[in-house]
Amino acid sequence: MIEYIDNSEIRRKLSLIKKVAVIGSGTMGHGIAQVFAAAQCQVKIYDLREDLLLKAERMIIQNLEMMKKESYINSGEQKETLAMLSYSTDLFEAVHEADLIIEAIPEVLEFKHQLFQLLETMIRSTAIIASNTSTFPISKLAEACTFSERLLITHFFNPAHLVKLVEVVKHEDTLPWAAEEVINLLKAAGKKVVMLNKDIPGFIANRLQAAVVREAFYLLEEGIANADDIDQVMSEGPGMRWALNGPLRIADMGGLDIWEKVTGNLFPELDCSTEAPRFIVESVKQGNLGAKTGRGIYEYSGTGDGASDIRDKQLIHLLKM
Ligand SMILES: NC(=O)c1ccc[n+]([C@@H]2O[C@H](COP(=O)([O-])OP(=O)(O)OC[C@H]3O[C@@H](n4cnc5c(N)ncnc54)[C@H](O)[C@@H]3O)[C@@H](O)[C@H]2O)c1
């Protein structure tokens, strides 16, 4: 973990990043834009169509309204954040003055490469470019761009306006000032930043999550317990501890002699499949994508907005603790 002096106000004033462009206003993009707007950057959000931008604006308004209702921000902060945001379907207009450009478009390498090639002709020669990719190593992203010395991964978590963690990955060419600027800004925005020492697919968090999810679907498919019980085992047990201490510290606290037995005895028993779980593949084929389509592992009313409202309220309560 990078540690800087904790004086976000001074850091913010000294930061070179005043203007931010967010490309892609979907699940992640709108929340990322909100984070930078709340940190007093002028933020332009770009998407392919006007209706997508209107949806993003609506979601940011709802996010801020809930944060105010739950007394996490005041109405001054709500207004100031909204005033820092603007929306555009013109890519050049969105990016040409930006100090930092964050892409949050779909996880398709070809799309990201095409976008980088377009950006090359439009952005300032000192602009920093960050990708919110969940899985691609930065070496893959850099293959199709001429700005690898200003390229980073900033991996936010859904919902980006509430989850504190951002994983940062540098390319071997990334200049130290570019990483430092972005990390300082993220910290001033209240984020917890972890920078990886090496480039690896899935970074840290998604590798840890994927290991747990693989086993969770194995237990479900084998009928060991129903979905609700499997989820409860996690949230009432390990999840509760993991909110406060990571798996390595917990291993230390339990005793490494015990964990030698637990891992040695259990590793040979664990699922080690190398493909997406059958349950997920079948659900996707049937168009059951989870909360957003009303059905996944559970059933939801409408488009699942109620479920994300509850999740966001619970996260705000956790943050206030
Ligand atoms: N959803 C998550 O939980 C999550 C978490 C962390 C990281 N990510 C990563 O963030 C990125 C975005 O994911 P998302 O879930 O927000 O996707 P999304 O589908 O919700 O949003 C993507 C947005 O990008 C727009 N878009 C598509 N092609 C574009 C282009 N060429 N130029 C500009 N905009 C374009 C789409 O119109 C859409 O609004 C992906 O790389 C994903 O892996 C997602």
Side-chain angles (χ1 to χ4, degrees):
M1 173 115 43
I2 314 289
E3 283 302 340
Y4 289 90
I5 300 163
D6 187 21
N7 193 333
S8 56
E9 198 45 45
I10 292 174
R11 273 202 314 270
R12 182 70 205 99
K13 286 197 177 113
L14 296 176
S15 175
L16 298 176
I17 302 173
K18 309 281 185 211
K19 295 183 179 180
V20 176
V22 178
I23 316 290
S25 67
T27 307
M28 296 306 294
H30 79 276
I32 294 171
Q34 181 182 330
V35 167
F36 288 112
Q40 300 150 42
C41 293
Q42 279 179 37
V43 183
K44 291 195 174 173
I45 311 180
Y46 166 84
D47 211 312
L48 303 172
R49 297 194 320 263
E50 199 67 46
D51 60 310
L52 297 167
L53 290 174
L54 284 171
K55 185 175 173 208
E57 185 178 19
R58 220 173 31 245
M59 287 168 83
I60 292 174
I61 290 169
Q62 280 169 11
N63 290 345
L64 289 166
E65 196 51 41
M66 180 189 285
M67 289 167 91
K68 192 185 71 177
K69 229 167 150 181
E70 297 294 325
S71 307
Y72 194 59
I73 58 170
N74 60 39
S75 53
E77 290 166 317
Q78 178 188 29
K79 277 191 200 121
E80 278 166 27
T81 302
L82 286 172
M84 300 309 276
L85 289 156
S86 59
Y87 302 81
S88 178
T89 52
D90 179 335
L91 186 61
F92 179 77
E93 205 266 316
V95 301
H96 78 285
E97 286 182 342
D99 305 307
L100 170 66
I101 296 145
I102 301 207
E103 73 79 11
I105 69 170
E107 189 75 350
V108 179
L109 191 60
E110 198 188 337
F111 292 177
K112 296 196 191 269
H113 282 169
Q114 282 165 3
L115 175 69
F116 287 169
Q117 276 159 13
L118 274 176
L119 289 179
E120 272 165 12
T121 61
M122 300 180 175
I123 60 177
R124 298 173 55 206
S125 59
T126 53
I128 301 167
I129 301 88
S131 169
N132 189 52
T133 179
S134 319
T135 55
F136 297 126
I138 196 162
S139 51
K140 273 258 165 268
L141 294 176
E143 277 169 2
C145 77
T146 54
F147 44 66
S148 57
E149 80 284 1
R150 289 173 285 122
L151 182 67
L152 286 167
I153 289 171
T154 50
H155 182 224
F156 288 76
F157 292 79
N158 185 30
H161 66 291
L162 294 177
V163 180
K164 282 193 170 269
L165 179 66
V166 181
E167 291 176 303
V168 172
V169 186
K170 280 195 302 183
H171 187 260
E172 57 189 18
D173 293 347
T174 311
L175 294 168
W177 68 263
E180 212 165 286
E181 276 298 320
V182 172
I183 288 169
N184 282 346
L185 177 58
L186 287 168
K187 290 193 152 208
K191 294 297 184 191
K192 292 272 177 210
V193 179
V194 172
M195 186 157 80
L196 273 67
N197 296 329
K198 289 185 186 170
D199 190 17
I200 184 172
F203 323 124
I204 299 173
N206 278 348
R207 293 179 78 94
L208 293 175
Q209 289 196 120
V212 170
V213 163
R214 175 163 64 187
E215 192 58 31
F217 277 96
Y218 172 80
L219 295 169
L220 185 66
E221 283 172 8
E222 290 296 309
I224 308 300
N226 65 31
D228 205 29
D229 283 344
I230 294 170
D231 277 348
Q232 274 200 48
V233 164
M234 176 53 81
S235 54
E236 301 294 335
M240 194 183 167
R241 301 194 306 193
W242 285 344
L244 305 168
N245 287 295
L248 302 179
R249 190 174 297 278
I250 282 174
D252 248 358
M253 289 165 103
L256 295 182
D257 51 334
I258 305 298
W259 279 98
E260 182 186 24
K261 298 280 182 294
V262 171
T263 50
N265 293 343
L266 274 187
F267 278 2
E269 305 292 331
L270 297 180
D271 184 40
C272 55
S273 10
T274 55
E275 287 175 356
R278 223 172 339 126
F279 190 101
I280 297 187
V281 174
E282 285 304 317
S283 300
V284 171
K285 251 191 221 155
Q286 289 161 21
N288 296 328
L289 308 185
K292 61 185 165 188
T293 58
R295 180 185 281 191
I297 292 139
Y298 299 99
E299 305 260 340
Y300 302 85
S301 55
T303 54
D305 284 355
S308 30
D309 280 357
I310 294 169
R311 175 202 64 190
D312 288 3
K313 244 183 226 164
Q314 288 171 332
L315 283 172
I316 292 172
H317 292 176
L318 198 61
L319 285 168
K320 279 162 68 177
M321 278 163 66

